[in-house]
């Protein structure tokens, strides 16, 4: 699986409506569902099925659940060394648990972008602006082969 393959697959999810806890291309997904869907397409089978979760699961249980799951299935890299095809995980507030993710892509003139699902609309590709970059908690690369 190459980084270009990951971006190509992620772009096929563009326009998928937001739906909390879902991971069905064209029907609905959230940010985790997008990454899980891309993983499943890339490797032919999904990573672990997450338990039911609420938007505040990490805070409620006091664990970095999103980061823990990413570490089980992806390869952690330096959070500043992300490149197209990598998964970035965000803390939306400095003291909060990490609970949003997206896939890095690249646009015209080499502009760094991100494909993600956010409650305000369908899966979209946006500029990885300073606002987003300063909230990156961790970055991960898809493995060259599916991890157990």
């Amino acid at each position: 699986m190459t980084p270009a393959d990951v971006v190509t697959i992620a772009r096929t999810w563009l326009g998928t409506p937001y739906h909390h806890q879902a991971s069905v291309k064209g029907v609905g997904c959230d940010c985790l569902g997008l990454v899980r869907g891309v993983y499943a397409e890339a490797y032919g089978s999904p990573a672990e099925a997450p338990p039911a979760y609420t938007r505040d699961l990490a805070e409620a249980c006091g664990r970095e659940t999103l980061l823990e799951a990413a570490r089980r299935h992806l390869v952690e890299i330096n959070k500043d060394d992300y490149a197209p095809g990598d998964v970035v995980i965000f803390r939306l507030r400095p003291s909060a648990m990490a609970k949003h993710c997206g896939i890095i892509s690249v646009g015209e003139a080499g502009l760094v972008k991100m494909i993600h699902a956010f409650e305000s609309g369908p899966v979209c590709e946006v500029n990885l602006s300073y606002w987003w970059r300063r909230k990156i908690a961790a970055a991960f690369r898809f493995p060259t082969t599916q991890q157990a």
Side-chain angles (χ1 to χ4, degrees):
M1 180 60 39
T2 70
D5 294 333
V6 171
V7 173
T8 297
I9 293 168
R11 284 185 171 141
T12 68
W13 285 72
L14 292 173
T16 297
Y18 181 87
H19 188 82
H20 181 64
Q21 291 188 311
S23 184
V24 181
K25 187 192 314 186
V27 176
C29 71
D30 59 10
C31 65
L32 176 58
L34 169 65
V35 173
R36 290 186 71 244
V38 170
Y39 186 98
E41 283 188 57
Y43 300 110
S45 63
E48 69 189 74
Y53 55 92
T54 61
R55 290 168 177 84
D56 65 349
L57 172 67
E59 285 89 352
C61 73
R63 291 182 34 220
E64 293 280 8
T65 53
L66 186 57
L67 289 173
E68 291 169 8
R71 289 180 178 123
R72 286 192 295 273
H73 298 282
L74 304 171
V75 178
E76 192 163 11
I77 59 174
N78 182 296
K79 72 177 192 168
D80 298 318
D81 292 339
Y82 56 81
D86 291 341
V87 174
V88 285
I89 296 179
F90 302 93
R91 287 184 204 291
L92 299 181
R93 292 186 329 270
S95 61
M97 299 291 184
K99 59 183 192 178
H100 186 64
C101 55
I103 298 172
I104 297 296
S105 60
V106 66
E108 295 177 17
L111 186 65
V112 178
K113 301 187 96 159
M114 167 180 68
I115 300 167
H116 73 139
F118 209 66
E119 285 187 70
S120 61
V123 174
C124 60
E125 190 167 14
V126 299
N127 292 335
L128 190 70
S129 65
Y130 175 73
W131 189 90
W132 283 109
R133 287 191 316 269
R134 67 189 177 128
K135 296 176 182 313
I136 295 173
F140 296 85
R141 194 152 283 154
F142 280 80
T144 54
T145 59
Q146 182 178 15
Q147 295 183 347

